[in-house]
Amino acid sequence: MFDPKIIAFYCKWCTSAGADLAGTSRMTYKPNIVGIRVMCSSRVDPEHILDAFKNGADGVLIGGCHPGDCHYESGNYKTQKRITLLKKMINDLGIDKNRLRLEWISAAEGKRFAKVVDEFTDEVQKLGKLKI
Amino acid sequence: MAKPKVAFYWCASCGGCEEAVIDLAEDILTVTDAVDIVFWPVALDFKKKDVEAMQDNEIAVSFINGAIRTSEQEEMVNLLRKKSGLIIAFGSCAHIGGIPGLANFSNREEIFDYVYTKTPSTMNPAKTTPQTNTVVDGYELEIPEFYNTVKTLDQTIDVDYYLPGCAPPPDLIMNAVMAILKGELPEKGAVLAPDKSLCDTCPRNDSKPEKLMMKEIKRPHTVEMDPEKCFLAEGVICLGPATRSGCGERCINANMPCRGCFGPVKGVSDFGAKSLSAIASIMGIEGEENMTDEDIQKLVDQIPDPAGLFYMYSLPSSLLRRKVMT
Ligand code: SF4
Ligand code: SF4
Ligand code: FES
């Protein structure tokens, strides 16, 4: 079975804390994900995402705070617009838009974190290896 | 003292860069006074064998325009690299891929199929397409190989400097020539144009509102554009924020938004991704907290072809270099 590589960018204030909660609560989730903590989801530049795909990622996950909860007030709104536009653009560049996913996961949502990772891993597995 | 030798060469290009040299007008006399042009296929009758006969580094500087798309272009630029002290990537196509680089949304098979069988004016029932080697009456004929992917010059040979633009403007060409003659070149790898962004030098910059935002995206042909106002403030995408300055705001002065032919400002590795980021951030910024997923999708869908727009001049130099095709 193909073992996908997934790069994830978590904002420090919500999703990263959610990932920690999943860990300290000893929840299990698929091990295909490599997490990178950034201060805010809006710190993730589309360049970073393309770089990840180019360097072997089969999927890229961005995790941020729920709308209204961004530590920097409006970072996540920018993120959502950028990712929505980037999804459309990568699809036209031959990279299935479902290889890129944006999720809002709060510090209290350890369970949801584990579920999102499992779901996304399955989805990327179905899409197969990304050959660039 | 012998005059320094100079060569001009073209690869996958439109001929506009050759025009740009002619556009130097009487300044070209200053250039020809100071240098010996030893190779320039579009204007002078020197041949490849003349270049081959030269010593290594005998040519002081070669200006090469056009992207690299065939084996012949690859061979010629390698030859010129060997014979030249300096190589200058001249114009958008050599620098970042340019318009010929849009072929990277496709591949050789698709291009041949369209050009040699599907174009309305073509009758080709045998589906004959160019072959690198063909035997006719016992003789083998060879033509250059047409590559699957268009490359920039620096993806093919080592490049010393870049003169950006589609085509480079006369003042930047003259500045570069003078810097070479005086030996006052910046560090290797530099783009011979200002490090500012186009917005920094744009006459419309002052009209930018404090909080720039695009409520909707309008395409240039659908609006009557105010000749004084920043395009972004009118809802028309302009790539000035991510583009290097130095063109003389040519499109802006013709009341058209910038499409990025000068390539990215210093430090940006992917022009399209950077432009996308800048534009997406100011889209619908007013009331963004109340936008639903559908609202955002609708706004984004007002850009029908983001990849073609944001990479209009720079696809081969982008991180992905081409469309992923399996
Ligand atoms: S966005 Fe375009 S029109 Fe506006 S200031 Fe920049 S270059 Fe000028
Ligand atoms: S305005 Fe932009 S696209 Fe037009 S010439 Fe200048 S850099 Fe090139
Ligand atoms: S801090 Fe979490 S999305 Fe901005």
Side-chain angles (χ1 to χ4, degrees), chain B residues 286-302:
Chain B
E286 192 84 0
E288 61 184 356
E289 59 284 356
N290 299 319
M291 282 177 102
T292 63
D293 295 358
E294 290 73 48
D295 292 339
I296 293 177
Q297 191 62 51
K298 255 197 222 141
L299 194 56
V300 158
D301 284 340
Q302 290 175 359

Side-chain angles (χ1 to χ4, degrees), chain B residues 8-9 13-25 63-66 88-96 98 161-177 191-194 244-250 261-263 313:
Chain B
F8 293 96
Y9 194 67
S13 61
C14 68
C17 282
E18 312 285 336
E19 284 284 346
V21 178
I22 307 296
D23 280 348
L24 292 177
F63 293 87
I64 301 178
N65 70 68
I88 306 219
F90 189 97
S92 304
C93 306
H95 176 208
I96 50 177
Y161 296 101
Y162 303 85
L163 252 174
C166 179
D171 60 325
L172 289 191
I173 301 175
M174 275 317 279
N175 287 350
V177 170
V191 177
L192 304 176
R244 187 184 287 269
S245 172
C247 67
E249 295 74 36
R250 291 184 291 202
C261 81
F262 258 57
Y313 284 95

Side-chain angles (χ1 to χ4, degrees), chain B residues 92 164-167 169 198 238-240 243-253 256-263 271 312-313:
Chain B
S92 304
C166 179
L198 188 66
C238 178
L239 303 183
T243 304
R244 187 184 287 269
S245 172
C247 67
E249 295 74 36
R250 291 184 291 202
C251 299
I252 313 295
N253 293 333
M256 284 301 280
C258 174
R259 287 298 176 253
C261 81
F262 258 57
F271 180 85
M312 187 174 287
Y313 284 95

Side-chain angles (χ1 to χ4, degrees), chain B:
Chain B
M1 205 178 86
K3 293 193 223 171
K5 294 180 179 162
V6 167
F8 293 96
Y9 194 67
W10 54 359
C11 297
S13 61
C14 68
C17 282
E18 312 285 336
E19 284 284 346
V21 178
I22 307 296
D23 280 348
L24 292 177
E26 56 275 14
D27 276 347
I28 192 131
L29 300 176
T30 321
V31 179
T32 48
D33 272 350
V35 304
D36 256 340
I37 300 176
V38 294
F39 188 56
W40 191 8
V42 79
L44 302 171
D45 197 21
F46 295 108
K47 302 286 190 232
K48 181 183 174 197
K49 64 171 174 18
D50 300 314
V51 181
E52 282 169 334
M54 290 180 200
Q55 305 289 320
D56 286 1
N57 290 335
E58 187 175 330
I59 303 172
V61 42
S62 285
F63 293 87
I64 301 178
N65 70 68
I68 308 299
R69 116 91 73 226
T70 69
S71 56
E72 181 204 25
Q73 292 156 353
E74 188 175 43
E75 186 181 327
M76 284 305 296
V77 300
N78 272 298
L79 174 65
L80 286 167
R81 174 70 274 184
K82 199 158 165 262
K83 304 293 182 185
S84 314
L86 292 177
I87 294 282
I88 306 219
F90 189 97
S92 304
C93 306
H95 176 208
I96 50 177
I99 297 298
L102 289 171
N104 287 358
F105 278 112
S106 185
N107 59 14
R108 174 174 46 209
E109 196 186 327
E110 275 186 11
I111 292 170
F112 276 15
D113 185 46
Y114 184 75
V115 173
Y116 293 102
T117 64
K118 298 220 172 81
T119 36
S121 57
T122 303
M123 281 247 298
N124 181 6
K127 295 196 188 303
T128 309
T129 58
Q131 304 297 315
T132 310
N133 294 290
T134 321
V135 179
V136 180
D137 297 338
Y139 294 98
E140 190 167 328
L141 303 177
E142 197 189 330
I143 58 168
E145 186 183 346
F146 183 97
Y147 292 141
N148 219 22
T149 298
V150 173
K151 287 202 229 159
T152 63
L153 188 60
D154 70 3
Q155 288 164 0
T156 313
I157 57 168
D158 187 38
V159 167
D160 296 286
Y161 296 101
Y162 303 85
L163 252 174
C166 179
D171 60 325
L172 289 191
I173 301 175
M174 275 317 279
N175 287 350
V177 170
M178 287 309 168
I180 294 165
L181 289 174
K182 291 193 203 137
E184 287 172 0
L185 282 161
E187 63 177 315
K188 186 180 157 153
V191 177
L192 304 176
D195 278 340
K196 292 182 175 151
S197 80
L198 188 66
C199 289
D200 273 338
T201 54
C202 175
R204 301 188 189 199
N205 205 11
D206 292 342
S207 73
K208 255 190 203 157
E210 185 118 334
K211 198 168 177 195
L212 198 53
M213 73 134 187
M214 298 172 94
K215 219 176 21 212
E216 50 177 336
I217 312 288
K218 299 176 199 142
R219 302 183 71 191
H221 64 280
T222 63
V223 258
E224 208 168 305
M225 289 177 292
D226 183 329
E228 317 255 291
K229 241 164 105 189
C230 168
F231 290 103
L232 294 174
E234 290 193 87
V236 172
I237 292 180
C238 178
L239 303 183
T243 304
R244 187 184 287 269
S245 172
C247 67
E249 295 74 36
R250 291 184 291 202
C251 299
I252 313 295
N253 293 333
N255 209 14
M256 284 301 280
C258 174
R259 287 298 176 253
C261 81
F262 258 57
V265 288
K266 205 175 174 178
V268 169
S269 58
D270 192 297
F271 180 85
K274 239 342 174 237
S275 306
L276 177 148
S277 184
I279 298 299
S281 326
I282 57 167
M283 276 164 54
I285 202 167
E286 192 84 0
E288 61 184 356
E289 59 284 356
N290 299 319
M291 282 177 102
T292 63
D293 295 358
E294 290 73 48
D295 292 339
I296 293 177
Q297 191 62 51
K298 255 197 222 141
L299 194 56
V300 158
D301 284 340
Q302 290 175 359
I303 306 177
D305 174 20
L309 171 67
F310 296 123
Y311 290 116
M312 187 174 287
Y313 284 95
S314 65
L315 186 56
S317 64
S318 69
L319 284 162
L320 297 174
R321 293 193 180 187
R322 61 161 9 274
K323 179 176 173 180
V324 181
M325 295 177 89
T326 38

